[in-house]
Amino acid sequence: LSQILVLLRQLLHSQGQAAVRVSLICIGWQTLIDALLCLAHIYMSLSMPPLFSAFASVSFFKLLIFCVIEMKYMALIVQARNNNSNNTNGAQTLERLRRQIALLHIRFYTAMVGSFILLLYVGNSFRSVLVLLQYSFWIPQIILNIATEARNPMHNSYIYGMSLTR
């Protein structure tokens, strides 16, 4: 629940053109982690019937976070970047935006399935390295801040809240 509140605060913080300064890879990476955790909790709820309600409720909240809030946030970032580019024809811009959001969804779900399969088949030998890489989601935002000299693209409560709750 705290992640939902922090995400909604970040959405309010980066409305409009401020969303251009947010790294799409960073948010997509966090969305991917939440999607994988949602799948893990679904499988745990099915494999442990006495704890079904606990795992199912966590799975529901993770589904809400990744499927509704974070995917919407990524769409807002794509829309802000599309509005930032100089296009004169409104119909072409709208069609281009639809295409970019559809590609965003295709890339996300491809990455989700690929990382799920990778986590399943890697075994215990490289699992700790994969988890370490998976939780390095702030690195793309740090690189974007350095490259664009952006200041405060993310709200402090979002940074601290996501770092602590994850």
Side-chain angles (χ1 to χ4, degrees):
L1 290 175
S2 62
Q3 284 184 356
I4 293 172
L5 293 173
V6 169
L7 268 165
L8 292 175
R9 185 174 189 116
Q10 175 62 26
L11 279 170
L12 291 174
H13 177 72
S14 63
Q15 286 187 353
Q17 292 301 316
V20 173
R21 300 178 296 170
V22 177
S23 172
L24 187 62
I25 296 172
C26 177
I27 302 300
W29 205 324
Q30 293 176 22
T31 308
L32 182 66
I33 292 170
D34 289 333
L36 291 174
L37 286 173
C38 178
L39 287 175
H41 281 93
I42 287 172
Y43 288 133
M44 294 295 280
S45 68
L46 294 175
S47 66
M48 294 183 214
L51 298 173
F52 175 79
S53 62
F55 283 120
S57 62
V58 172
S59 176
F60 171 73
F61 286 121
K62 284 295 180 183
L63 181 72
L64 178 69
I65 287 172
F66 99 82
C67 203
V68 176
I69 300 172
E70 287 175 334
M71 291 300 281
K72 174 69 175 171
Y73 191 32
M74 288 195 305
L76 287 173
I77 294 170
V78 169
Q79 183 179 10
R81 289 182 181 173
N82 193 36
N83 289 341
N84 200 24
S85 64
N86 296 329
N87 286 336
T88 56
N89 192 349
Q92 284 182 342
T93 305
L94 187 60
E95 184 61 34
R96 183 174 154 208
L97 177 64
R98 286 183 188 145
R99 198 173 312 119
Q100 287 176 345
I101 291 175
L103 282 173
L104 175 76
H105 283 275
I106 290 170
R107 287 181 193 138
F108 171 75
Y109 287 111
T110 303
M112 184 181 78
V113 169
S115 59
F116 183 72
I117 291 171
L118 185 68
L119 279 173
L120 281 178
Y121 288 109
V122 162
N124 291 330
S125 58
F126 294 109
R127 190 162 291 162
S128 60
V129 174
L130 285 175
V131 170
L132 178 68
L133 288 174
Q134 201 173 23
Y135 280 93
S136 302
F137 52 82
W138 291 122
I139 293 174
Q141 183 64 48
I142 293 169
I143 292 171
L144 183 69
N145 287 352
I146 292 170
T148 61
E149 297 178 6
R151 292 181 183 251
N152 301 326
M154 294 185 173
H155 199 274
N156 286 337
S157 66
Y158 179 75
I159 295 170
Y160 296 128
M162 281 299 181
S163 296
L164 289 174
T165 57
R166 289 184 189 275

